[in-house]
Amino acid sequence: MRYEVRATTEEAGALLVLAERYGVSVPKLLIDSALAGGSQAAAASASEREAVLRQLLAAQRTLAGVGNNVNQIARRANIDGEIVADLLTTHARARELVGQIAELVTELRVMGR
């Protein structure tokens, strides 16, 4: 469904500033504000999404480091045919991170509803 909203130049500017601050579009900001009980609640919701995104990015960086460790282990295994004891630890950490990322993605989906 489509709705039309009229705003003054000042109101439009203020909405754009708020939307940019929270990383959402103006229509999304308006909908979240109305459904969440006002702009403060919408801002809190946007802040929560931002926090989850930061956690997701941190997990992604850590997972990239784990991938680097796996590459180093594979390189060593190719050189001398041995698998380093760190492999089990690295594998366990990778599985843990994948689980954390899945939880964060689910949390973001729920927030987006």
Side-chain angles (χ1 to χ4, degrees):
M1 182 157 285
R2 180 181 169 102
Y3 296 94
E4 235 179 87
V5 177
R6 296 189 195 285
T8 66
T9 304
E10 294 80 19
E11 290 168 337
L15 287 170
L16 189 58
V17 167
L18 277 173
E20 287 177 1
R21 180 184 308 156
Y22 298 115
V24 296
S25 66
V26 171
K28 177 74 171 149
L29 177 73
L30 292 172
I31 290 169
D32 285 355
S33 294
L35 296 178
S39 61
Q40 289 181 340
S45 175
S47 179
E48 289 171 10
R49 280 194 306 271
E50 212 171 289
V52 172
L53 281 172
R54 278 194 302 274
Q55 291 175 333
L56 191 55
L57 290 172
Q60 181 184 32
R61 283 190 299 275
T62 304
L63 190 55
V66 169
N68 186 44
N69 288 348
V70 169
N71 284 336
Q72 291 172 354
I73 292 167
R75 214 173 285 125
R76 171 114 186 242
N78 286 331
I79 291 171
D80 61 20
E82 290 184 28
I83 298 205
V84 182
D86 289 343
L87 179 61
L88 293 176
T89 302
T90 300
H91 181 260
R93 182 67 178 134
R95 289 180 62 93
E96 178 184 317
L97 284 167
V98 168
Q100 287 175 353
I101 290 170
E103 288 174 14
L104 290 168
V105 168
T106 300
E107 193 172 333
L108 280 174
R109 282 189 181 134
V110 168
M111 287 179 178
R113 289 183 186 159

